[in-house]
Amino acid sequence: MQDTVLIVGAGPAGLSAAAQVAGVGYKAVLVEKEDVLGGAPILSGYARLVPSGEWARDAIGRMVKRVEDDGNVTIHKGARVTQLNGEAGRFTAKLSNGKSVKAGAVVLATGFTHFDSVNKPEWGFGTFPDVVTTTQVEQMVTAGKIACPSDGRTPERVAILLCVGSRDRQIGREWCSKVCCTVSANLAMEIKELSPKTQVFIYYMDIRTFGLYEDRFYWKSQEEFRTKFVKARIAEVTAAPDGRLLLKGEDTLVKRPIVIPFDLVVHAVGMDPNMDNPEIAKVFGVGLEKHGFIERGEHYTNTCGTTRPGIYSCGAAYGPETIDDSISQGMAAGARAIADLHGLTRKAS
Amino acid sequence: MAIHEKSLIEPERLLRHDNLVVDGVDVSGHWNTMITPRTITDYDDDFEAVIQRYPGAENVHRCWQCGSCTNSCTMYAQNVQFNPRYWIYAVRTGLKDEIIKDKDIIWQCVSCNKCTSICPKDVRPEGVMKALAHWLEDEGHMPKSPSRIFDEEFTEQIYARGRIEDSLVLLNFLKKTGQPLVPQWLRVFGVRLMQYLPVGLGMRFARNFFIPPRTRSWGRTGEVLRQYVREQKEATHG
């Protein structure tokens, strides 16, 4: 029992945690509620990943294959943990597929849920077919064609609206989703590559392409791919008489109202807490922080911890996170779980 | 009644007809005052590329509107209407009218290049200012400068004959710029020159050459003087 780690969620963080646990010679049990492994990058059909530029299906595909080929990893697809008993060193989990798993530690790599744009009705998602989300554009890029869903035409002009479901007290999202600026700058470049004549505008409040993403994504998108960044938070999206979309707002840099026609409007949707988090908190007995993400334990010496001993977390379950950092944190959580199990074994002997 | 809020509106956005009758109702004067909206209803996607073809403005697309140029600007300290950041933005979004509106101050850039030194994105705003001044001239929004008229005359003569004729270049330049052959300043210069030229002095020199003048009432003074000197010499040396 004390040589097994239960990992919940098979996205980048969970796959990384499983590989770490198995790599050290411990056993990993990976439980994934969907029928495919890979998490959001695979389920939502992401195109090329930031910052590697590798296709999601290749990069995440390698991570999936690594755990599938590992004899120390047991995988349960299409299953959820319905009950967890015991304590650090001797947990027993009941799965929705009727099976039972004994494990010494649990890693919650339960990730996030994309913000649902219908919660910002003034921006037209669900009302106008040509208002889409970054996830949908990722899928278009993967399919190799940028088109307006209404009639399939190639858009002359695309607007990407940042902070949709982020930094918005109106809808109770008081966090920055961290990745959308970089993802949007990258998407603008991908749109340009597929359709060089299309003009891409990004409407922003601030640009938060942190760290090394600044010049590699933001500057490159503006300077080499001619993406135009306009400082305006859009008030509403309406329809023009000719069937195009009208973007209304205030261009804060020139203090003037704008009403600009666009063919395609893209919501850069933020990262919500996993919509199952209330259930997860109940089943695993862990706390949620005030926004609804998994609450972090004291970070300095209880790294990757939660509010319950023996249960660890990583990646976007804690809050908005990049794929690369989720992978690193998955590894850290796996290592932390093994270290604690090793400590328990030593104490017992 | 006057519309007091008019003071808050830029004058060019106020429309007023002195005489107007609508559906038989006389609404002349302030009764028909209309205000054109400030809303930006479209971008001109090509304007940026037009300006970028002028030397100095190649990097205008790099601007991220931090305002360092305006902040450091020598002219902005004198006149808050002089705002390079704003004009760069107008170039990027194609707000041509905004550039034309400010045509009388854009040329005031003193090329101190503080903006270019401080710009974190290497936009070179000073070059953009020059490019805008040239664009305004090319598009006919500004009268041709004298140097441009001179250049045109010069070039035309080269085209026609392969060489220039100095006097013709000057003559035609003066004609095209509406300047008289003998401008006012040249006339004043001539008159003053004549006034202060030492003509009398020269004539006196000439007369003295032929008739050397004598000191007035000299009489026999010379003989007396000569006598005195001789006596003094004999008294000393014997």
Side-chain angles (χ1 to χ4, degrees), chain B residues 140-170:
Chain B
H141 297 297
M142 303 294 283
K144 277 185 194 172
S145 69
S147 72
R148 172 167 290 221
I149 294 170
F150 186 92
D151 289 350
E152 283 175 0
E153 175 59 32
F154 189 102
T155 318
E156 274 313 311
Q157 292 200 14
I158 296 287
Y159 290 151
R161 295 188 295 276
R163 53 179 290 176
I164 56 156
E165 176 52 42
D166 287 334
S167 56
L168 272 180
V169 172
L170 195 61

Side-chain angles (χ1 to χ4, degrees), chain A residues 157 199 201 203 214 218-219 222-223 226-228 230 251 253-261, chain B residues 38-45 48 52 61-65 85-86 89 92 95 98 120-121:
Chain A
R157 236 190 227 168
Q199 296 274 350
F201 291 76
Y203 287 88
E214 180 75 4
Y218 175 21
W219 293 22
Q222 179 178 0
E223 295 178 9
R226 302 292 175 135
T227 307
K228 293 218 167 129
V230 182
D251 188 323
L253 288 171
V254 298
K255 298 188 285 186
R256 282 175 69 174
I258 52 173
V259 181
I260 309 287
Chain B
R38 296 180 73 243
T39 309
I40 299 168
T41 53
D42 209 348
Y43 300 127
D44 181 340
D45 298 331
E48 183 180 64
Q52 282 188 299
H61 68 293
R62 292 180 172 182
C63 177
W64 62 5
Q65 292 287 299
R85 174 197 67 75
Y86 179 67
Y89 195 78
R92 301 217 53 222
L95 305 175
E98 292 300 303
K121 288 291 275 321

Side-chain angles (χ1 to χ4, degrees), chain B residues 171-191:
Chain B
L171 221 64
N172 289 343
F173 168 71
L174 292 175
K175 204 157 86 188
K176 283 180 184 171
T177 50
Q179 301 179 70
L181 193 56
V182 183
Q184 175 71 7
W185 67 265
L186 189 57
R187 209 175 304 133
V188 171
F189 181 73
V191 169

Side-chain angles (χ1 to χ4, degrees), chain A residues 268-291:
Chain A
V269 289
M271 295 166 92
D272 271 4
N274 188 330
M275 62 194 293
D276 294 332
N277 269 3
E279 180 68 16
I280 289 169
K282 210 159 70 187
V283 169
F284 293 93
V286 296
L288 302 179
E289 51 84 69
K290 74 165 190 172
H291 306 100

Side-chain angles (χ1 to χ4, degrees), chain A residues 125-193:
Chain A
F125 183 82
T127 308
F128 306 113
D130 292 339
V131 178
V132 297
T133 65
T134 34
T135 310
Q136 285 169 281
V137 179
E138 290 276 352
Q139 290 160 9
M140 289 185 199
V141 173
T142 305
K145 185 172 167 22
I146 300 294
C148 297
S150 63
D151 56 3
R153 74 183 190 279
T154 303
E156 285 172 33
R157 236 190 227 168
V158 176
I160 302 178
L161 315 187
L162 294 186
C163 298
V164 177
S166 306
R167 307 170 74 203
D168 190 345
R169 190 165 272 155
Q170 283 293 329
I171 49 169
R173 268 82 175 173
E174 298 179 7
W175 59 86
C176 165
S177 291
K178 199 169 169 181
V179 303
C180 338
C181 286
T182 312
V183 164
S184 298
N186 188 47
L187 266 185
M189 293 193 275
E190 291 180 319
I191 290 170
K192 269 289 204 197
E193 274 174 355

